[in-house]
Amino acid sequence: MLAAALTALLLAQAQSAPRAVPGDTAGYWQQDVRYTIRAALDEPSGVLAAAGRIVYRNNSPDTLRAFYVHLYLNAFRPGSRWAESERREGVRRFGELPDPYHAFERLGRVSVDGASAAPRYPFAPDSTVAGFDLPRPLAPGDSLVVELEWQSRPSVIPRRQARAGRRFDFAQWYPKVVVYDRLGWQTRPLYMAGEFYGEFATYDVSLDLAADQIVGATGVPVEGDPGWSGARATSSTPVTPQSDWYGSRPAAGALAAWGPAQAGRKRVRFYAEQVHDFALSLNPDYVYEEGRFGPTVLRTLYLPQDRASWGDGLVIGRMGRLLAWMDTIFGAYPWPQFTAVHRIEGGGTEFPMMVMNGGPGEGLIFHEGGHEYLYGILGNNEWKDGWLDEGFTSFQSGWHNQVGRPAAPGRNAQQAILGMDLDGWSQPLSMPAEQYSDFSVYNQMVYSKGALFFEMLRYVVGEDAFRRGLREYYARWKLRHVDEHALRGAMESASGQNLSWFFAQWLHGTPLVDYRLRDVRRERTSEGWRTLITVERLGDGRMPVDIAVPLPDTTLVVRAAGIARREVVEVATAARPGRIELDPARQTMDWNYLNNAEGVRFPFVGMVSLGRVEHRLGWSETTPARRDRRVANWLPLAWSNGAGGVTLGFQSRSNYLGRFDGKTVQFSWPTGLADDAVFGRGGRGRPDVFLSIRNPVRLRAERREIELAAWSLEGRAGGRIGVSADRSPRFGGPVRMSIGSALTVMAVTDARYLDRRRWNDVNTAELTAWAARSREREAGASTARVEVTAGQSFWPEALPSRGWINFPETQWPTGRRLSGATYARGLISSRYALRVREFDVRLRGVAAGTLGGTAVPLQRRIFLGGADPYATFTNPFLRSRGALLARDDVHYGAAGDLGLRGFSPVASATWGVAVNIEAGLRLVDQPRRRAFGTVTVAAFADAALLDRAALGRAAAADAGIGVRATHQIGPTRFVTRLDLPLLVTRPAAAVAGAAGDGAFKFRWVWSFEEAF
Ligand SMILES: [Zn+2]
């Protein structure tokens, strides 16, 4: 039924009639290239020796004076730009690979129009681009002939290309003509990021191979035997070479002209037209299957052990479904065949008419196979417009997954990309690939954000216009080079919208989008209801904003243009609209959904919305992050300690987007049950509270975190304000750096909770500054931390002794008299972990000390056995006297401070310098197992120099053996550790030590964390 009629609708989108379309093909040209190649593979050396002839016609309006080819296999060897970009990323792969193992592509004799020519290498020492000066200028419409001899060899470390025994994946194995387009010669070395851009060409490739080799390749076999008949999966498997697809165009007799093959060898000739690359894969063990999609033959070549995962039509079926899906999006597949081979490397790579995949998965086939259109037929420049290649492809396969399901744009991708946008790591989508700050930023931008670009484009123009636009894009541009203008032209023509703002914003900038539902006013009219919805644009990014207007029997969606800072949308309905919400389908990159829905109306603050909240019950450390709502996790709590007895409570932790509005609220009640009666019968009964808020949305800043906390908890009250900043040099780099500072006040309000061996009845106010750095290494990680604290302590009594800097006794407003002294505390530690096969080695060095003499309260001294009392304060099992894990008979070790694990947790010093070492042997290493993923036996030793007053001796050490195991409950991973510090040099101060103990004694300590 009609519940609504729109009276005044939204402001019209910024529309104007499409101009003389910028993206149509008028004036477009592409060069004409014909390769004729003869190549023979010597398997033992892995070298392909080849001779080729390239006929090149200049269709451009320019006169050319040089000619360039790519020798891409030269990327996979020392000295290349590729190796250099790996080195910058901390990857060691091709930079140091010695000669028999690295790849190469070496030119021999070269002639241009009959005159011998010497190559120039403009990016030397990189040799992936070679140039030749032309003997005569090549005028528009003229042709030239280049004859070349070369040798090429794939590398043993696979990267797209590879060799392994008798298996060969040849990608980019021939001198490939560099694209000349309206921007000139696209000479660009091969880097890790971005790769493909080629001239559409005809390939006539004759191969001389071992007679038993089975070949998968671009094109169709027109002479000789590719080996498929002998490799058929079953005797009924058809073999349809499609040799006659191109009619009589490949003139017969090329193999006959080459002469007969030697004994044990064979010759086979492939031919392809209108493709911009030619790949081949060889393996004498390949098994062959085929199928069909319309006129296209589908082929797969897999390994004998793949039968269950690739065979029996599994992969062929997926290839057929992929081509059917692409056909519905774009149009007919133009080529005779589509081949999927099981290559040496994992992952997958696309080539025209062919994908080389490491596995048979449908997702992989939809991705790599989708490239047949988005790269193969629509020939984009991947290293300049990766979004148009990988982004479009990621969108396409995601879209396929969405079909038949409720609209579910990539919210996880949105969340990940928003994190980068909000932290300033994002870079524009349209950029030369090697200019991204690092490889992981390139990947995130080009694949994930690129896919989101297409989701938003679909949202902006609507699904029908989007589909029409894609078909138009294909009809205009198939088998041509495409770019941003080609896609925009097709989309503008299909939608009737000017989309320059959209393409400019999302391809060339890094906008932040945030719309806020500012106000909603509902008025009764004679016909029903008139609702005025005010939308406010807070971000620099602009997107049309859908507005959901819920009605009793339906939800009306109207759209605001989203351009003005404030925009009023008026809706007339028969019934009273329910709660209004912006962007109900989460189709934009609006980073703050907390202000998108209608909230409570207060007189002076307008509408207050906290957004949607999802409540969960359970373990809180792993509270998930949601794209569009806060998640609050509720956890009942119970613990006990000596003063409060059994304590019951609950905790709520919440966050938005995994980074904002992290709130922790904890209430607990000491019941006095099973206490040690220091409070008398019935315990204390007063509730405790801990509150913390991290990173409120309003205080958002790039790579900065803020925390405010306050507590009144088990005889202590205090507060903390902390700020930290991520100073990592690169987004995905191995080095992480951060700095921070915090002001912490901790006052003792009830000393009966204190373990007086660890904590004086003294209040402190501390200002701490710290810096931390970690580095992931190939087989381990190193971390370092420096921390400096200036503190002021306040005694409730007269100072027990003089400190470093003393303050006069002061009377506080409460009438309490306090004395004060200033102290300082510092700690520097460095840790290194190394994994070599089944061995784990860990090393740690730490130096820590205090200044201020006896004015430093116990709780701020340096603890020998592990963490100091402030570090364990947030843990209710360690916080107070008599807590479960703090009891002397429990032998629990919390990691921290000097880390002398054989020593009592109450032993402390004013300074210490310690070394901890641990060597382990992994007996069990099954990361998938939850209960005991790894089990490691270890030998350890800890040694320290201390102030003489601490233990009466200037040195202390322990040594022993232990066992640790890793576990996982839900997403939480933890360790159980049992150490036996059999040798302790000061036995009286050892864990559970007693006067008269010997240095050797059976002692044990256990923990839920690694020692360091
Ligand atoms: Zn891809």
Side-chain angles (χ1 to χ4, degrees), residues 350 367-368 371 390 447:
E350 64 279 13
H367 182 96
E368 306 303 345
H371 278 307
E390 298 296 356
Y447 286 78

Side-chain angles (χ1 to χ4, degrees), residues 514-517 538 579-582 586 590-600 607-614 626-631 654-663 695-698:
D514 180 21
Y515 288 93
R516 172 186 170 205
L517 181 59
L538 300 178
R579 199 167 169 233
I580 307 292
E581 187 176 7
L582 303 185
R586 287 81 172 118
D590 189 330
W591 65 267
N592 183 3
Y593 266 99
L594 304 185
N595 59 15
N596 279 29
E598 200 175 354
V600 191
M607 277 193 323
V608 178
S609 171
L610 298 172
R612 293 164 186 268
V613 188
E614 176 183 325
R626 296 273 189 251
R627 164 74 183 99
D628 60 347
R629 63 196 66 198
R630 291 186 301 131
V631 181
S654 61
N655 80 80
Y656 166 61
L657 212 60
R659 58 184 292 146
F660 291 121
D661 288 7
K663 291 187 189 116
N695 306 329
V697 172
R698 282 172 185 280

Side-chain angles (χ1 to χ4, degrees), residues 188-334:
R188 183 223 187 218
L190 186 60
Y191 293 91
M192 282 165 78
E195 178 170 12
F196 296 120
Y197 190 35
E199 294 285 14
F200 285 92
T202 297
Y203 288 82
D204 189 341
V205 178
S206 297
L207 301 166
D208 182 298
L209 305 168
D212 61 343
Q213 276 291 8
I214 296 159
V215 189
T218 301
V220 294
V222 290
E223 288 186 75
D225 178 15
W228 301 336
S229 295
R232 288 182 298 165
T234 68
S235 54
S236 60
T237 302
V239 174
T240 314
Q242 298 277 74
S243 303
D244 51 359
W245 178 274
Y246 296 104
S248 58
R249 263 171 292 171
L255 291 190
W258 198 1
Q262 289 176 3
R265 297 188 66 88
K266 68 175 177 185
R267 287 186 174 155
V268 54
R269 177 184 177 203
F270 281 87
Y271 183 83
E273 290 183 1
Q274 293 190 302
V275 289
H276 50 67
D277 201 357
F278 186 99
L280 67 144
S281 175
L282 309 174
N283 182 349
D285 295 327
Y286 271 145
V287 178
Y288 179 88
E289 272 187 37
E290 78 168 43
R292 253 184 190 281
F293 176 72
T296 308
V297 171
L298 312 174
R299 311 187 201 287
T300 179
L301 290 160
Y302 55 82
L303 309 180
Q305 63 268 31
D306 293 336
R307 236 167 235 278
S309 52
W310 287 66
D312 292 333
L314 270 176
V315 161
I316 291 291
R318 289 167 191 160
M319 294 165 76
R321 283 196 290 284
L322 162 78
L323 286 192
W325 163 246
M326 299 305 286
D327 189 305
T328 63
I329 301 177
F330 292 110
Y333 183 80

Side-chain angles (χ1 to χ4, degrees), residues 116-135:
S116 90
R120 289 182 282 115
Y121 294 96
F123 300 96
D126 179 279
S127 51
T128 56
V129 177
F132 303 92
D133 295 320
L134 298 185

Side-chain angles (χ1 to χ4, degrees), residues 196 348-350 364 367-371 374-375 382 386 389-391 393-394 447:
F196 296 120
T349 305
E350 64 279 13
L364 188 61
H367 182 96
E368 306 303 345
H371 278 307
L374 300 168
Y375 141 87
E382 188 193 2
D389 181 300
E390 298 296 356
T393 297
S394 302
Y447 286 78

Side-chain angles (χ1 to χ4, degrees), residues 572-871:
T573 54
R576 186 182 194 280
R579 199 167 169 233
I580 307 292
E581 187 176 7
L582 303 185
D583 192 10
R586 287 81 172 118
Q587 302 261 25
T588 70
M589 290 288 277
D590 189 330
W591 65 267
N592 183 3
Y593 266 99
L594 304 185
N595 59 15
N596 279 29
E598 200 175 354
V600 191
R601 188 178 290 271
F602 288 115
F604 300 107
V605 273
M607 277 193 323
V608 178
S609 171
L610 298 172
R612 293 164 186 268
V613 188
E614 176 183 325
H615 292 279
R616 300 163 56 90
L617 180 69
W619 186 241
S620 60
E621 295 303 322
T622 51
T623 304
R626 296 273 189 251
R627 164 74 183 99
D628 60 347
R629 63 196 66 198
R630 291 186 301 131
V631 181
N633 191 90
W634 298 83
L635 178 70
L637 301 171
W639 63 79
S640 81
N641 59 59
V646 172
T647 302
L648 300 175
F650 72 87
Q651 174 188 274
S652 153
R653 287 171 77 124
S654 61
N655 80 80
Y656 166 61
L657 212 60
R659 58 184 292 146
F660 291 121
D661 288 7
K663 291 187 189 116
T664 302
V665 178
Q666 187 181 301
F667 278 100
S668 53
W669 289 268
T671 63
L673 198 68
D675 65 356
D676 57 11
V678 292
F679 287 104
R681 216 156 21 141
R684 202 187 55 159
R686 199 174 67 207
D688 280 337
V689 60
F690 177 90
L691 302 168
S692 147
I693 177 157
R694 293 177 77 90
N695 306 329
V697 172
R698 282 172 185 280
L699 300 180
R700 179 188 80 78
E702 287 179 3
R703 291 177 234 175
R704 193 185 70 196
E705 304 226 330
I706 294 178
E707 185 189 9
L708 290 153
W711 57 85
S712 169
L713 209 54
E714 297 182 354
R716 279 144 292 184
R720 179 186 144 91
I721 174 166
V723 182
S724 68
D726 177 5
R727 289 292 165 84
S728 304
R730 297 208 328 253
F731 170 70
V735 176
R736 316 298 304 164
M737 288 168 70
S738 51
I739 55 169
S741 67
L743 178 64
T744 310
V745 174
M746 181 77 88
V748 176
T749 54
D750 191 333
R752 285 170 292 191
Y753 278 98
L754 305 180
D755 179 345
R756 299 300 287 262
R757 297 169 302 173
R758 281 168 62 86
W759 201 313
N760 289 136
D761 183 5
V762 168
N763 312 319
T764 63
E766 291 188 342
L767 183 63
T768 298
W770 56 267
R773 183 181 192 273
S774 68
R775 184 188 174 93
E776 293 289 329
R777 296 176 185 277
E778 266 174 77
S782 57
T783 60
R785 184 181 169 90
V786 182
E787 191 181 293
V788 185
T789 298
Q792 173 75 24
S793 55
F794 303 97
W795 274 259
E797 310 104 22
L799 274 175
S801 62
R802 305 306 291 174
W804 184 36
I805 303 173
N806 300 301
F807 284 80
E809 192 174 294
T810 49
Q811 180 151 8
W812 282 44
T814 55
R816 212 175 179 203
R817 297 187 71 79
L818 291 175
S819 300
T822 301
Y823 62 89
R825 192 176 196 270
L827 181 145
I828 175 165
S829 73
S830 177
R831 198 154 52 92
Y832 187 64
L834 183 73
R835 273 172 85 101
V836 183
R837 294 198 305 276
E838 63 272 29
F839 297 100
D840 287 327
V841 177
R842 291 158 171 270
L843 272 169
R844 175 179 179 252
V846 57
T850 58
L851 283 174
T854 50
V856 181
L858 251 182
Q859 59 265 36
R860 302 316 287 139
R861 285 166 63 90
I862 308 301
F863 283 74
L864 271 56
D868 61 70
Y870 279 14

